[in-house]
Amino acid sequence: MARAAGAVRPRLARAARAVRPRVARFARATAPRLDRVTRPKTWQYTAGAATAGLALAAGAVTAAGPWDSTGQRTAERDRAVALEHTGGADHGGPGGSGAAAGSPRPAPSAPSVLTGLGGTDGGVPRGADAAPGGTALADLLGPLLDDPALGGTRGAAVVDLTTGKRLHALDADAALTPASTTKVATAVAALTALGPDHRLTTRTALEADTGELVLVGGGDPTLTAREDAQGLASLRTLAERTATALKKRDVRRVTLSYDTTLYAGDEAHPIGVNENLAPVTALMADEGRTDDSTAGPAPRVPDPAADAARAFAGFLEQHGVTASAPGPSKATDRADTLATVSSPPLSALVERMLTHSDNDLAEALARHTAVASGKPADFEGVSAAITARLKQLGLPVRGARFHDGSGLDRTDRITAGLLTALLAEAADPARPELRPVLTGLPVAGFTGTLSGRYTDGAAGVVRAKTGTLTGVNTLAGTVATPDGRLLGFAFLASDTTNAWEAQTALDRLATTLASAAP
């Protein structure tokens, strides 16, 4: 830690000097509203715990206080710089697969960004086309949106998240391919359907009449077979608890089976076999990865449920219980639950999904949304459930099509207007349960799929979900302006021919919003 701190100290000092005046203005503008937007909510507990853990890696956090000059938590910044990896995957974007080493943790919350929800008073124009400093956004963004790098079809929208008022639009109601920005809709739908405290539970059940032991999948792709579970549900712990319960019944040999019936329909995503995600099943360990990666593309086992069950049998053996070779089955209502393990709360899962663009987690949360909505837990049910949940919130879903939860399906359609409406809903003080949608967004220059971007731009000020498919580049998120306003934006580009140039053009748009002079 000392070496890491020494290595990054000059870099952090330069960043602090560069942005100190901007943050001073931000603090003055938002201080009166801090008590309203930072009161502890249920959704903050897991994010707060993550921040506490990160603080151990920040040498001067205690002395310097919790805030740095970018408005982000010092611990969050120091962790990102010390790890020095890109994290996550962006589905074929520039830079290759880049699977991150080390487990992706839930993104720390960023109350400094949320304080912008209070808005500012005095001299800040509120016109429909007003930029933070009074310059028409059309003058600032228009030339950038005309960049040929953004392809032949594009849509854009910018809203003031304090009021929800649209400040700028370009074909904002055109339904375009969203790529991974679909995950913003998945996150809002899942939190609406299940709540931020919901956990995904994997259990074992013993059939009293046959002695069959059933490993029942709970749709938790973060279930891990690794020795160090790092706060995730552990298959090893489940085996230990199950073995203890069996021994109390004087059972040391079982017929093992596994149950994946929580989900319905085809396990294969429409894109087919792809290293961006495993077959969609209710039982898997470590997302079916065949290497040590925890994020990004990776080879996957062809049958994650069977693979997890075989690993579970091995762990039972270590605790003195012999299991048969596992096969598929279904636990009956008469089966006695022996042991359970549960995922982190949904708030943390949503943050992880967004920060690292986790496709397996996105598809799982979409299916849980379907289950909670009384729809079949298959791709068609997912489509109906997500749409229904967004309609329930009164969001503009006209033209939207959800064929999966991850955005890997090229037939998905979302408008820039819907994406900014989703962000505005998540920013609404009356909906704290949706706040993980904002806190989970990657931080420009520091975390997740934005860790390698904005190194010369709005690092630490922009938070956004990226989206990249061949010929498609998208970006949707929030930006804190110099005068303390929090804006939501969505930029979608289709028919792009150079992913790197398109990505740069999108980053330039977000940076322009962040640096508009007061």
Side-chain angles (χ1 to χ4, degrees), residues 446-488:
F446 295 116
T447 62
T449 55
L450 285 187
S451 59
R453 292 164 66 167
Y454 295 87
T455 54
D456 297 321
V461 180
V462 171
R463 299 188 73 131
K465 181 70 201 75
T466 58
T468 308
L469 294 170
T470 302
V472 175
N473 297 87
T474 60
L475 191 69
T478 67
V479 57
T481 66
D483 54 29
R485 296 172 75 186
L486 188 64
L487 306 183

Side-chain angles (χ1 to χ4, degrees), residues 177-205:
T177 304
S180 266
T181 54
T182 299
K183 294 183 177 73
V184 176
T186 301
V188 169
L191 287 166
T192 301
L194 300 162
D197 296 328
H198 184 78
R199 295 174 186 261
L200 313 182
T201 298
T202 307
R203 66 187 179 97
T204 52

Side-chain angles (χ1 to χ4, degrees), residues 364-382:
L365 296 186
R367 272 165 171 67
H368 281 282
T369 301
V371 172
S373 303
K375 308 292 184 183
D378 56 17
F379 286 107
E380 289 186 5
V382 161

Side-chain angles (χ1 to χ4, degrees), residues 64-91:
W67 309 112
D68 66 18
S69 57
T70 68
Q72 300 298 328
R73 288 191 185 277
T74 302
E76 179 179 1
R77 177 194 60 190
D78 287 354
R79 172 184 180 272
V81 174
L83 286 181
E84 296 271 329
H85 65 69
T86 58
D90 210 6
H91 321 316

Side-chain angles (χ1 to χ4, degrees), residues 23-402:
V23 175
R25 290 193 298 270
F26 182 91
R28 288 194 299 270
T30 60
R33 313 290 183 122
L34 285 175
D35 60 338
R36 180 170 66 85
V37 297
T38 59
R39 269 196 282 304
K41 302 286 186 181
T42 302
W43 62 268
Q44 289 178 307
Y45 297 153
T46 54
T51 302
L54 295 177
L56 297 176
V61 169
T62 302
W67 309 112
D68 66 18
S69 57
T70 68
Q72 300 298 328
R73 288 191 185 277
T74 302
E76 179 179 1
R77 177 194 60 190
D78 287 354
R79 172 184 180 272
V81 174
L83 286 181
E84 296 271 329
H85 65 69
T86 58
D90 210 6
H91 321 316
S97 59
S103 177
R105 306 301 301 150
S109 62
S112 60
V113 173
L114 296 182
T115 54
L117 297 176
T120 58
D121 298 316
V124 179
R126 299 292 178 176
D129 248 352
T135 305
L137 279 182
D139 295 338
L140 291 172
L141 301 182
L144 301 179
L145 286 167
D146 286 337
D147 191 330
L150 294 177
T153 307
R154 62 205 71 177
V158 179
V159 300
D160 185 328
L161 292 183
T162 303
T163 64
K165 186 174 184 178
R166 182 177 289 179
L167 303 179
H168 184 67
L170 171 68
D171 291 333
D173 297 326
L176 304 177
T177 304
S180 266
T181 54
T182 299
K183 294 183 177 73
V184 176
T186 301
V188 169
L191 287 166
T192 301
L194 300 162
D197 296 328
H198 184 78
R199 295 174 186 261
L200 313 182
T201 298
T202 307
R203 66 187 179 97
T204 52
L206 184 65
E207 299 287 357
D209 50 349
T210 65
E212 176 188 13
L213 178 67
V214 186
L215 176 61
V216 183
D220 178 11
T222 68
L223 177 71
T224 181
R226 294 188 171 96
E227 190 169 358
D228 183 2
Q230 298 189 3
L232 303 175
S234 170
L235 196 62
R236 294 171 183 261
T237 298
L238 183 61
E240 180 182 7
R241 292 174 180 174
T242 300
T244 298
L246 288 169
K247 289 175 183 178
K248 287 181 179 179
R249 300 174 181 235
D250 199 26
V251 175
R252 284 175 168 76
R253 183 177 296 274
V254 295
T255 298
L256 180 63
S257 61
Y258 56 91
D259 182 349
T260 63
T261 58
L262 178 64
Y263 293 174
D266 197 343
E267 293 183 353
H269 190 280
I271 64 171
V273 177
N274 191 288
E275 291 191 349
N276 278 297
L277 81 169
V280 184
T281 176
L283 176 63
M284 64 172 66
D286 300 303
E287 299 181 337
R289 297 172 181 270
T290 61
D291 57 19
D292 293 330
S293 67
T294 55
R300 310 302 179 101
V301 297
D303 190 342
D307 186 73
R310 285 191 293 268
F312 181 74
F315 298 146
L316 283 177
E317 186 77 29
Q318 294 175 12
H319 292 285
V321 175
T322 301
S324 66
S329 184
K330 176 177 171 56
T332 69
D333 294 339
R334 301 183 303 277
D336 293 331
T337 296
L338 296 184
T340 63
V341 290
S342 296
S343 72
L346 188 68
S347 57
L349 298 182
V350 163
E351 288 183 324
R352 170 175 171 148
M353 174 189 69
L354 294 171
T355 299
H356 299 279
S357 201
D358 191 317
N359 297 305
D360 300 280
L361 193 46
E363 297 301 348
L365 296 186
R367 272 165 171 67
H368 281 282
T369 301
V371 172
S373 303
K375 308 292 184 183
D378 56 17
F379 286 107
E380 289 186 5
V382 161
S383 177
I386 293 178
T387 302
R389 291 294 175 175
L390 301 190
K391 281 184 177 179
Q392 173 188 333
L393 294 172
L395 297 171
V397 297
R398 184 176 181 180
R401 299 289 184 272
F402 301 99

